[in-house]
């Protein structure tokens, strides 16, 4: 989902076959083998003696009305944040609006730079994460990029030893796979921030937002009915945010970076941070833009990823299935970006590693070192401290991953004369996806 200038307020037709559960009963994926010939990277975490093996894929979306539209997704992988071999960063950024690509790339660069230069990062990851998001948002507002009606969502995972800190702004998603007997279960590491959530709905309403679907805005449905069901069953006309006396910006999310106009009606850049302690039962985690999750539930994505030993093949299979479902349900596809990170060789390391629960930290929470308590910090206090402490950081992303590959064909659109291809750069790190 997005805003009125991107993947947003157009009416979405229903599935051509009328089967709303088509994607829930898909055929087994084990026989679907797609080689991407992309780089496979292995990163050690020496403090806990395990490895992370990962691959990344991005697929340009197909928009029939704007065929030359650029990919607005970007991604960032930074290994050894602050030179620490046990700290690694993975992020996917989904831009939207006229200048969505510029916003996405600006945020993916600055966010990890600010984190990398925060001396409190390892002492207080929650506060550092929140400060970095707010600082990046402020810098984007002050940049040459017009983010009045453009911005980006962000889903990021910071690996610190055997602990994941997952910071989310928007409706992209991270999910982890946990082995439970003979099953592999999907556990969401983030919660989509949309008006479907009552807490987010109430918050933006207090900020003056009108929350209406496109049909309600156009007078086709009663605007006084403020009940849209749930995100999975609702379909293609979700509730959106509008200014009190206008038909904009129409965002289908309640948090983002940028979006200066939407910010005035409650769309904030404050991340929700979840924390999970890794155990030997955790198999891999997925970080992906909402182009993946629009028609694929988290469990389906995990099932597909688990069917492949090589994350390169898993990325290609998931992207291909997502692309195909977009074309079956819409006259376009979204940009699709996915990172799959396998957790290899992690063993039991004591009682402290047995807690696999995911701790969602709402709004801004500050951890108190050495205890299990948290104390609240107001958004205004944190924002003020961030603004006063901003500095010009010129350090670029240091880690660049070599890629010797050819581009892989995913699913060609029947409406185009040439097949769509995956991006294939000579190097990437915190680079354009």
């Amino acid at each position: 989902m997005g805003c009125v200038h991107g993947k947003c307020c157009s009416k979405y037709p229903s599935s051509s076959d009328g089967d709303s559960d088509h994607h829930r009963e898909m055929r087994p994926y084990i026989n679907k083998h797609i080689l991407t010939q992309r780089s496979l990277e292995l990163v050690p975490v020496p403090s806990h003696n395990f490895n992370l093996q990962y691959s990344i894929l991005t697929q340009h979306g197909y928009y029939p009305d704007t065929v030359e539209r650029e990919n607005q997704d970007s991604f960032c992988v930074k290994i050894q944040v602050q030179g620490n071999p046990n700290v690694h960063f993975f992020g996917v950024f989904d831009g939207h609006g006229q200048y969505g690509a510029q916003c996405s790339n600006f945020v993916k660069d600055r966010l990890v730079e600010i984190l990398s230069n925060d001396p409190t990062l390892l002492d207080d990851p929650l506060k550092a994460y929140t400060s970095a998001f707010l600082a990046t948002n402020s810098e984007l507002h002050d940049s040459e990029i017009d983010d009045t009606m453009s911005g980006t969502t962000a889903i990021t995972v910071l690996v610190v030893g055997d602990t994941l800190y997952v910071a989310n702004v928007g409706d992209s998603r991270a999910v982890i796979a946990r082995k439970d007997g003979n099953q592999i279960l999907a556990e969401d590491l983030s919660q989509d921030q949309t008006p479907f959530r009552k807490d987010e709905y109430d918050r933006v309403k207090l900020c003056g937002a009108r929350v209406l679907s496109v049909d309600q805005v156009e007078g086709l449905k009663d605007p006084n009915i403020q009940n849209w069901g749930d995100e999975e069953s609702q379909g293609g006309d979700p509730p959106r945010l509008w200014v009190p006396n206008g038909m904009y910006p129409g965002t289908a999310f309640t948090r983002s970076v940028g979006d200066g106009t939407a910010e005035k009606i409650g769309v904030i850049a404050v991340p929700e941070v979840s924390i999970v302690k890794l155990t030997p039962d955790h198999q891999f985690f997925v970080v992906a833009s909402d182009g993946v999750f629009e028609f694929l539930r988290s469990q389906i994505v995990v099932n597909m990823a688990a069917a492949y030993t090589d994350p390169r093949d898993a990325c290609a299979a998931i992207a291909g299935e997502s692309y195909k479902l977009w074309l079956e349900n819409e006259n376009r596809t979204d940009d699709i970006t996915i990172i799959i990170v396998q957790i290899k060789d992690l063993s039991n390391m004591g009682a402290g590693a047995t807690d696999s629960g995911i701790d969602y930290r709402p709004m801004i929470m500050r951890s108190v070192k050495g205890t299990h308590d948290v104390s609240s910090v107001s958004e205004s206090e944190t924002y003020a401290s961030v603004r006063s402490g901003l500095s010009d950081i010129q350090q670029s992303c240091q880690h660049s991953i070599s890629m010797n590959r050819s581009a892989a064909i995913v699913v060609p659109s029947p409406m185009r004369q040439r097949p769509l291809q995956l991006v294939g750069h000579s190097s990437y790190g915190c680079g354009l996806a």
Side-chain angles (χ1 to χ4, degrees), residues 49-107:
N49 196 32
F50 71 97
N51 296 289
L52 301 174
Q53 181 173 261
Y54 67 92
S55 187
I56 306 168
L57 180 151
T58 188
Q59 169 66 54
H60 191 292
Y62 168 61
Y63 291 80
D65 295 332
T66 53
V67 176
E68 300 305 320
R69 177 185 175 277
E70 60 186 319
N71 190 344
Q72 293 186 313
D73 282 2
S74 64
F75 60 83
C76 180
V77 173
K78 185 173 177 64
I79 303 305
Q80 299 190 11
V81 175
Q82 296 187 348
N84 190 320
N86 303 301
V87 182
H88 313 295
F89 177 91
F90 303 87
V92 170
F93 306 86
D94 183 355
H96 51 262
Q98 184 177 359
Y99 304 107
Q102 293 93 316
C103 291
S104 172
N105 282 280
F106 181 94
V107 172

Side-chain angles (χ1 to χ4, degrees), residues 123-143:
D123 294 327
D124 198 343
L126 298 180
K127 181 180 179 182
Y129 238 147
T130 299
S131 297
F133 268 86
L134 291 175
T136 303
N137 187 58
S138 177
E139 289 188 13
L140 179 57
H141 288 336
D142 294 338
S143 73

Side-chain angles (χ1 to χ4, degrees), residues 32-37 308-318:
K32 185 176 181 180
H33 191 73
I34 304 175
L35 292 175
T36 66
Q37 299 181 28
Y308 298 91
T309 58
D310 191 324
R312 294 172 294 185
D313 300 339
C315 283
I318 293 168

Side-chain angles (χ1 to χ4, degrees), residues 207-218:
C207 294
R210 289 189 304 153
V211 182
L212 302 168
S213 68
V214 173
D215 282 346
Q216 289 175 315
V217 168
E218 295 182 349

